[in-house]
Amino acid sequence: MSRAIEEVYSSLSGRFRGDLLRPGHPEFPEARRIWNGMVARTPGLIARCAGVPDVQAVVRAASAAGIFPAIRCGGHSLAGFSSCEGGLVIDLSRLRQVSVDEKNRRARFSGGCLLGSVDTATQALGLVFPSGVVSHTGAAGLVLGGGTGWLNRLHGLSCDNVEGFTLVVADGSVLHASATENSDLFWALRGGGGNFGVVTEFEVKLHPLSAVLYGTALHFGDDIPRVLQAWRDFMLESPDNLRWGFSLTIAPHSENVPAHLRGLPVASASAVWAEDLEEGRRYVDRVLSFCRPVAVAKQVIPFLKLQTMADAEFPHGRRYYTKSGYFKSFTDQSIHTMVGALETIPSPVSQIELAYLGGAAARVGADETAFGDRSAPFVMNLLGNWQNAEDDVANVSWVRNLFAKLRPAMVPGVYVNFMSGDEDDRVPEAYRNRWERLVAVKTQYDPSNLFRMNQNVPSQKTAGSASGD
Ligand SMILES: Cc1cc2nc3c(=O)[nH]c(=O)nc-3n(C[C@H](O)[C@H](O)[C@H](O)COP(=O)(O)OP(=O)(O)OC[C@H]3O[C@@H](n4cnc5c(N)ncnc54)[C@H](O)[C@@H]3O)c2cc1C
């Protein structure tokens, strides 16, 4: 244990209500686990907080010892920012309270909640908070970076639905940020990630919804580029209630895929319609009929089922690597490049995820929140997903090479929550002309850049030469 970690441990011992876990503690192996096996690390101390006073104590102790803590909610940071080698992790997994105000359609949830905890509590009253698509993702990391999911075309990004944050800032004090209180901080927390402090509570708006129409279809061979062209054109005019997107991957050896098509490149479509289900049937039938689809399925499902159906596809501990970006227009050439890349995909469960943003998310002004560019509707995420370390080079190279080929057709910008750990140079690109304002807020609330284990916005004091456009 380093001297600084020892200093933090002894300053917290005796007064910390939560758990102080060091290597050798029986709970340490499970507590150190984060989602991405590629970036698994062994911290020197995990401080699992039992309440806000614990968070304050550990932030003060880290600051006094001069160490930069990693903050952990769900541990899903693709880049591995919620852990560190030999250092300090502020673990919020005991802070999972959710309270729902049914009448006013509002909820408060703690800084360690997973999406599943928020969904379960809100769905009990027929309400939803628009968030991501895998229930074991941490709500805090997702919301602070922006938050996209099935409902963001209808109700905006997750961060657009936040009305207040309570957080512990670098000097250990507790602040509240809203439209009327610390409003610059409120702006920065909606998209600016974990740069500004440890958020212990989110106050959010909810919307009524308990079931959706969910449809799927598969497209093979020449139908893959054709259906992507149809998607590109159709989504321009489609209602906000529809979210239709694709995963380009290799067809699995599963029952719903005809035997002769298993193992072939596939465009796997999913379409979700929220609210008026009669109207939804017309739209979902239509989009799932384009270009000779195979294995078409459609049903009304509970929202909670929708929110958990992808959980098993992204298990903890596998190796993942991602690169992401936006297209303003989705050209035939880009489609051709993506389809071609499926021929050399090194892992059958890697994928090119394609989503169309637009809708309510795109109607929020670019300067209203720190979240990046909303004007380019096509969001692409190249997600490498494989099992063994000996396959790292092949899988990482496939993602990097494909990204390099597609990059000239993209617009500048990237969603911080879809960034890997080797993309520090893209953080100013993510924020572009919001960069200077973020640096100013950072300088005010975290001048020594205590919270730097993230897609980092340095303070003026700690900044290098990075700048936005
Ligand atoms: C399987 C999977 C599915 C995903 N699906 C979606 C999706 O549908 N939509 C989407 O938008 N994104 C999605 N993502 C990306 C996701 O938003 C990010 O990985 C996000 O960082 C996860 O948050 P977390 O709390 O689990 O992560 P953690 O690893 O715990 O934290 C991530 C970052 O947030 C900071 N942080 C966490 N909690 C706090 C807090 N309370 N206060 C201050 N800072 C904090 C950490 O310092 C770290 O930098 C997905 C990721 C995975 C792995």
Side-chain angles (χ1 to χ4, degrees):
M1 189 161 61
S2 77
R3 184 174 287 278
I5 287 291
E6 233 172 282
E7 199 181 313
V8 172
Y9 182 79
S10 34
S11 98
L12 294 175
S13 297
R15 66 193 176 103
F16 196 75
R17 284 197 306 121
D19 315 297
L20 295 174
L21 308 175
R22 292 181 290 176
H25 189 286
E27 290 177 38
F28 187 86
E30 178 61 21
R32 74 178 265 276
R33 197 170 74 113
I34 57 171
W35 174 78
N36 189 352
M38 268 283 269
V39 284
R41 295 172 185 136
T42 305
L45 176 63
I46 299 172
R48 202 158 59 192
C49 303
V52 177
D54 277 355
V55 178
Q56 291 181 275
V58 68
V59 165
R60 287 190 176 120
S63 179
I67 52 176
F68 311 115
I71 311 169
R72 162 125 29 104
C73 171
H76 275 43
S77 159
L78 290 142
F81 284 132
S82 44
S83 191
C84 49
E85 201 56 53
L88 170 68
V89 172
I90 302 179
D91 178 342
L92 303 171
S93 61
R94 284 180 61 172
L95 308 183
R96 296 222 165 128
Q97 294 79 11
V98 185
S99 63
V100 183
D101 174 351
E102 182 182 10
K103 187 163 152 263
N104 294 307
R105 294 184 183 159
R106 296 290 186 277
R108 290 169 181 267
F109 59 83
S110 312
C113 281
L114 303 184
L115 298 187
S117 5
V118 178
D119 287 337
T120 306
T122 52
Q123 275 296 279
L125 297 164
L127 297 167
V128 287
F129 171 61
S131 67
V133 302
V134 172
S135 77
H136 47 75
T137 311
L142 179 135
V143 174
L144 291 166
T148 62
W150 296 117
L151 300 179
N152 58 238
R153 286 176 44 75
L154 192 58
H155 295 305
L157 301 177
S158 305
C159 70
D160 301 333
N161 288 275
V162 181
E163 294 182 321
F165 299 88
T166 304
L167 71 162
V168 176
V169 289
D171 67 5
S173 56
V174 177
L175 293 184
H176 188 255
S178 68
T180 53
E181 233 179 316
N182 299 307
S183 57
D184 258 12
L185 190 54
F186 180 58
W187 171 84
L189 286 164
R190 288 173 295 152
N195 272 289
F196 307 97
V198 184
V199 176
T200 53
E201 189 174 79
F202 296 80
E203 296 150 44
V204 300
K205 285 189 282 193
L206 305 176
H207 308 270
L209 185 76
S210 35
V212 295
L213 180 60
Y214 175 68
T216 51
L218 304 175
H219 301 269
F220 291 88
D222 292 346
D223 288 323
I224 300 179
R226 289 178 54 230
V227 77
L228 293 178
Q229 287 161 342
W231 173 68
R232 167 187 76 191
D233 300 338
F234 188 87
M235 286 310 288
L236 282 174
E237 302 294 335
S238 78
D240 296 352
N241 313 61
L242 179 70
R243 195 181 192 270
W244 176 30
F246 288 87
S247 161
L248 309 184
T249 184
I250 300 300
H253 289 260
S254 63
E255 257 179 36
N256 72 322
V257 182
H260 67 290
L261 296 172
R262 294 175 192 163
L264 296 180
V266 65
S268 173
S270 44
V272 166
W273 179 278
E275 296 184 346
D276 186 345
L277 296 182
E278 270 321 300
E279 194 188 358
R281 277 196 182 86
R282 286 199 296 280
Y283 274 94
V284 171
D285 282 349
R286 172 114 194 268
V287 301
L288 296 184
S289 69
F290 288 134
C291 308
R292 298 184 304 167
V294 175
V296 178
K298 186 181 69 205
Q299 56 180 324
V300 174
I301 56 170
F303 183 73
L304 270 186
K305 182 167 179 195
L306 177 74
Q307 288 296 92
T308 49
M309 62 198 329
D311 284 6
E313 267 183 64
F314 305 101
H316 287 77
R318 284 178 65 88
R319 305 177 80 78
Y320 299 94
Y321 181 78
T322 189
K323 272 193 175 288
S324 178
Y326 299 101
F327 297 88
K328 208 157 215 159
S329 51
F330 193 42
T331 62
D332 288 351
Q333 179 58 49
S334 297
I335 292 174
H336 178 74
T337 303
M338 289 180 193
V339 175
L342 296 179
E343 300 294 339
T344 58
I345 200 166
S347 162
V349 289
S350 289
Q351 55 182 293
I352 303 170
E353 294 174 331
L354 292 170
Y356 189 93
L357 197 62
R363 289 193 288 275
V364 175
D367 292 333
E368 279 183 53
T369 66
F371 183 82
D373 194 353
R374 295 159 183 251
S375 64
F378 298 96
V379 187
M380 179 203 69
N381 190 25
L382 306 178
L383 181 62
N385 171 348
W386 67 101
Q387 186 65 44
N388 299 314
E390 60 265 30
D391 300 325
D392 285 1
V393 173
N395 283 281
V396 170
S397 305
W398 181 80
V399 171
R400 285 189 181 148
N401 290 338
L402 177 54
F403 183 79
K405 282 187 199 156
L406 293 167
R407 178 77 156 162
M410 294 178 192
V411 293
V414 56
Y415 173 30
V416 288
N417 278 352
F418 287 168
M419 288 170 75
S420 281
D422 58 0
E423 297 193 293
D424 287 0
D425 56 328
R426 292 186 77 197
V427 182
E429 178 194 334
Y431 294 114
R432 309 192 67 217
N433 50 13
R434 287 161 291 275
W435 181 255
E436 295 304 331
R437 188 170 171 195
L438 278 166
V439 170
V441 178
K442 177 77 176 182
T443 304
Q444 183 178 348
Y445 294 97
D446 182 14
S448 60
N449 201 5
L450 182 71
F451 302 113
R452 62 178 66 185
M453 298 286 293
N454 44 43
Q455 279 81 21
N456 194 233
V457 176
S459 65
Q460 261 145 23
K461 221 170 82 181
T462 56
S465 54
S467 69
D469 55 358

